[in-house]
Amino acid sequence: MNRSEPLDHLEHLDKELVEELAQVARVTIREELREQTRKQRRTAVLYGASGAAALYAGGAVVVAVGLALAIGLPGWAAALITGALMAAVAFALRASAHSSSSEHHPRPPHRVVGGTPPVAPPGGLGMPYPPIPKNPPETPADLDDPRR
């Protein structure tokens, strides 16, 4: 008597159980992802609306500064000064963003930790840079120099 014969009638139960478990897992994961994306979409919309409102508020402030300057100056001078102020603010913001981005990306160490750097690149293409000569190269002017 073959040992697998008594279990043959259970084989279809295993397949059905696996299919049912897979279906339940798919449905659960799909519902979880929908809920997460719904929350993220709402957050993204609120951030976008906040940015748009801040842009309009900044524009209103710039117009107010220009109009305040226009009280004592011609309109073109007030606009020029306002534009220069906005350029300075933009430059300062760019500089601060540039410095903060370099803080998040660590620089590679100046030496190899735990050993010495390889003599040749990993590709085996020879030396990583040409050797430095001991003496500077001679030029035709050097050869004509009587002091040599």
Side-chain angles (χ1 to χ4, degrees), residues 83-94:
L85 287 174
M86 291 307 299
V89 168
F91 184 76
L93 290 173
R94 179 181 169 264

Side-chain angles (χ1 to χ4, degrees), residues 78-116:
L80 186 64
I81 292 171
T82 305
L85 287 174
M86 291 307 299
V89 168
F91 184 76
L93 290 173
R94 179 181 169 264
S96 67
H98 205 8
S99 67
S100 68
S101 68
S102 65
E103 292 173 4
H104 297 305
H105 301 293
R107 294 187 175 136
H110 64 280
R111 63 182 179 84
V112 177
V113 179
T116 58

Side-chain angles (χ1 to χ4, degrees), residues 59-71:
V61 169
V62 169
V63 168
V65 168
L67 290 174
L69 288 172
I71 292 173

Side-chain angles (χ1 to χ4, degrees), residues 8-10 13 15 24 47-48 50-51 54-56 71 76 83 100 107 133 140 142 144:
D8 283 343
H9 67 282
L10 296 177
L13 291 177
K15 288 181 182 178
V24 168
Y47 273 121
S50 168
L55 181 67
Y56 283 115
I71 292 173
W76 64 268
S100 68
R107 294 187 175 136
D142 292 337
D144 294 338

